[in-house]
Amino acid sequence: MADRILATKDLLIAPSLLAANFGNLAHEIASISNADLVHVDVMDGHFVPNISFGPEAVRLARQNFGGLVDAHLMISNPDTALQAFIKAQPDIITFHIEATNHANRLIQQIHDAGIYASVSLNPATPISLLEDIITDVDMVLIMSVNPGFGGQAFIPRTLDKIRRLRHLAGLNRVQPRIEVDGGISCTNAAEIIKSGADVLVAGSSIFSHADRQAAISSLLHAARQGLSQLA
Ligand code: DX5
Ligand code: ZN
């Protein structure tokens, strides 16, 4: 693990490379150097209807980014592909609970490799599936769009889901990071943070701006408004 930033900062911004220029990824990664995490969306054309990055992009992010590398595996059978992603040395590996029968084993394998373990839920997947692993994960990624594509609209019901996840974590006396992914911009960041999330993934709302550093600062500023109103 590069450092303990995942445990120490109150709010983290994670630009998603899915919205970057794939033809010049090293340059795109350099343009977001003030972000805390770089989010790498791995898609296999099976778990989601799109194909994007593999382990090489995770490795490239590792080599070119000073903060944490967040590998979001939107793939079927993450058990089979896990070692290839471990070798690329991200700081966080997020797998989908819908894609495996052995979430507990995956979490153990990720931890054994010295990597933060994170589990993701699609919009239709209930929080209750986390009951028996909530004490073992470092982060939960709540999808606020159906995974596969950037630029989709935020699903409003996500806000209630974040609150229910925070409640479940509280009952179990743990504080996993809560990352939210899809349709996030300055207009809804405060509301999402106010509901209990603390890591915001943003693709199009950052990479559509010529000045990515300013876009990241604006999103962080908007998110901070929600922190002061946290229930
Ligand atoms: C969607 C991906 C997201 C995506 C978000 O399947 O997991 O990380 O890049 O893109 P925006 O921020 O444009 O909704
Ligand atoms: Zn993602």
Side-chain angles (χ1 to χ4, degrees):
M1 264 168 240
D3 52 44
R4 305 305 302 178
I5 190 174
L6 193 68
T8 53
K9 285 185 105 180
D10 54 359
L11 281 183
L12 303 166
I13 302 293
S16 163
L17 289 186
L18 192 65
N21 177 355
F22 285 22
N24 201 353
L25 278 182
H27 176 265
E28 295 289 72
I29 292 167
S31 79
I32 54 161
S33 59
N34 62 328
D36 305 294
L37 286 79
V38 59
H39 184 88
V40 186
D41 283 308
V42 176
M43 302 180 180
D44 65 352
H46 187 268
F47 182 73
V48 290
N50 195 3
I51 300 176
S52 59
F53 303 120
E56 281 310 317
V58 176
R59 201 183 319 274
L60 187 83
R62 164 78 302 134
Q63 289 164 353
N64 289 277
F65 190 69
L68 300 187
V69 177
D70 178 19
H72 179 194
L73 306 187
M74 286 164 279
I75 60 174
S76 301
N77 303 320
D79 315 67
T80 312
L82 185 68
Q83 289 309 323
F85 286 99
I86 285 175
K87 282 196 190 120
Q89 297 189 310
D91 300 280
I92 307 165
I93 292 182
T94 299
F95 65 87
H96 271 260
I97 191 91
E98 305 88 355
T100 180
N101 292 321
H102 301 291
N104 182 283
R105 186 169 61 200
L106 268 176
I107 292 163
Q108 282 184 37
Q109 289 172 332
I110 294 168
H111 280 160
D112 286 349
I115 296 172
Y116 289 120
S118 162
V119 62
S120 184
L121 272 59
N122 282 336
T125 303
I127 290 293
S128 57
L129 288 193
L130 297 177
E131 276 177 19
D132 289 293
I133 53 171
I134 191 71
T135 56
D136 301 320
V137 290
D138 302 293
M139 185 165 84
V140 176
L141 170 52
I142 300 287
M143 288 307 303
S144 43
V145 297
N146 287 292
F149 303 94
Q152 302 181 78
F154 183 87
I155 297 171
R157 191 179 163 83
T158 309
L159 297 174
D160 182 56
K161 196 166 180 178
I162 298 166
R163 282 191 281 270
R164 284 182 282 120
L165 171 56
R166 206 32 101 197
H167 181 68
L168 175 67
L171 287 178
N172 285 274
R173 297 188 170 78
V174 289
Q175 286 188 303
R177 284 288 182 174
I178 300 183
E179 183 177 44
V180 183
D181 184 4
I184 298 177
S185 68
C186 288
T187 57
N188 57 12
E191 233 183 342
I192 297 166
I193 296 299
K194 200 174 137 189
S195 303
D198 49 18
V199 185
L200 300 182
V201 178
S204 37
S205 70
I206 288 175
F207 283 98
S208 63
H209 293 272
D211 186 344
R212 278 72 184 269
Q213 306 242 350
I216 290 164
S217 299
S218 303
L219 188 59
L220 188 60
H221 179 76
R224 288 213 176 283
Q225 312 295 312
L227 205 57
S228 53
Q229 302 166 45
L230 197 57

